[in-house]
Amino acid sequence: MDPFQLRLRFISTLHRLNASLPTIQKSLSFLVDHPSLHAQLWDCILDEFRSGSISRRINLLFLVDAIFTDDTLSSSIRSLFRPYLERDVYLLFDLAVPEGRWDALLNVPAVTKMLGAWKTRLVLEASVIEDLETMLSVRKTALYTLSPGQRASTLLHPTDMQRRIEEDRERHKRLRERSWILPPTAFSHQSLFGTRPEQLDPTYLTRKQPASPREQREDTDGDRVWSTQDLDFSQMWDETSDFNDDDVEGIVEDEKTGWLHQPPPPPASAPAPASAAQPVFAQPPPAQPPRAPASMRNAQRA
């Protein structure tokens, strides 16, 4: 088929895209069936981003999210679109939550949850995710400062609002299902199943999550196997701050509470001397239980 006709068919598929999973899967299958036209297909997504409404943009952003988080797609498809995502990620989020539009606040919760999922799955570098979170926070604060007139000019139509409620319910359900799935790291698999994935296959995560660009640059020889321990260590290394004065103070406080700095225990006390013998008094005999029932005893007393 001619590339121009394929472009028209893909645009028609994007026009029918909504929050439901079948429409997203249909768009993904189009990307998988035509990998040679990845540049043109990505341009179609960007064009629809620029010309679409607020609700349409969030649907397209979830399509981009599915490209990099859907487990049914192969790593080769993701590698084709990863350079485009790294190049246009700020543009995509700027269009998803544009400034000066009150209805853009509708996309903020979904975009925030999407960034959290990307951070867990290592879709982008941690610094890029932090920049996007900062941009989203600043944009949200600026939207709340809009005047009442600006807010009223960008409100959704009641019909569009009803459709948006249904789509948000569908997206929230999918995001909740995704949050229940732990990332395939060594810690999560060991705590859940008792067996680390690298015990079965050392390159388990290599097929799922490639190493970050910084890690690939450090691998000058190109022969390092990126196992689950490497990815876990890299993530913890990026999230841990540098060694500073607070760490030194914490070490000093821990040393003070250690057993080496504790005072020695007091010596064992000598046994108390035996006290003088106390006079023993005769104890009264214990009371014996009655040998007859109460009715007979009362009758005898009468």
Side-chain angles (χ1 to χ4, degrees), residues 65 69 85 93 114-124 129:
D65 170 73
T69 59
L85 177 65
F93 281 85
M114 184 183 299
L115 285 177
W118 284 15
K119 181 184 297 185
T120 304
R121 290 175 172 263
L122 304 177
V123 175
L124 294 172
I129 299 294

Side-chain angles (χ1 to χ4, degrees), residues 99-172:
E99 57 182 354
R101 296 187 56 172
W102 178 245
D103 54 356
L105 284 173
L106 297 174
N107 294 346
V108 172
V111 173
T112 303
K113 293 180 180 180
M114 184 183 299
L115 285 177
W118 284 15
K119 181 184 297 185
T120 304
R121 290 175 172 263
L122 304 177
V123 175
L124 294 172
E125 293 187 0
S127 59
V128 178
I129 299 294
E130 292 177 0
D131 292 343
L132 292 173
E133 290 176 344
T134 304
M135 183 187 75
L136 187 63
S137 177
V138 173
R139 184 65 54 84
K140 181 180 178 181
T141 304
L143 291 175
Y144 277 109
T145 60
L146 294 177
S147 62
Q150 292 174 325
R151 297 182 182 185
S153 62
T154 56
L155 289 177
L156 290 180
H157 191 270
T159 305
D160 297 335
M161 182 63 69
Q162 183 66 28
R163 186 185 306 111
R164 179 58 189 262
I165 292 174
E166 297 295 334
E167 292 182 350
D168 285 345
R169 184 181 295 112
E170 180 69 21
R171 276 189 290 266
H172 180 73

Side-chain angles (χ1 to χ4, degrees), residues 58-99:
I58 193 64
N59 291 333
L60 292 169
L61 188 61
F62 267 83
L63 173 62
V64 175
D65 170 73
I67 296 175
F68 299 96
T69 59
D70 195 335
D71 295 333
T72 60
L73 266 67
S74 62
S75 58
S76 60
I77 298 297
R78 297 178 184 176
S79 61
L80 290 176
F81 291 94
R82 186 173 297 277
Y84 304 122
L85 177 65
E86 295 175 352
R87 182 193 64 188
D88 302 326
V89 62
Y90 293 101
L91 175 62
L92 294 178
F93 281 85
D94 181 68
L95 293 174
V97 187
E99 57 182 354

Side-chain angles (χ1 to χ4, degrees), residues 7 12 50 108 151 181 183 228 235-236 242 256 277 283:
R7 183 185 179 95
S12 177
R50 295 187 179 96
V108 172
R151 297 182 182 185
I181 303 175
T228 53
Q235 184 176 2
M236 289 187 294
D242 297 334
K256 291 180 180 179
Q283 298 292 334

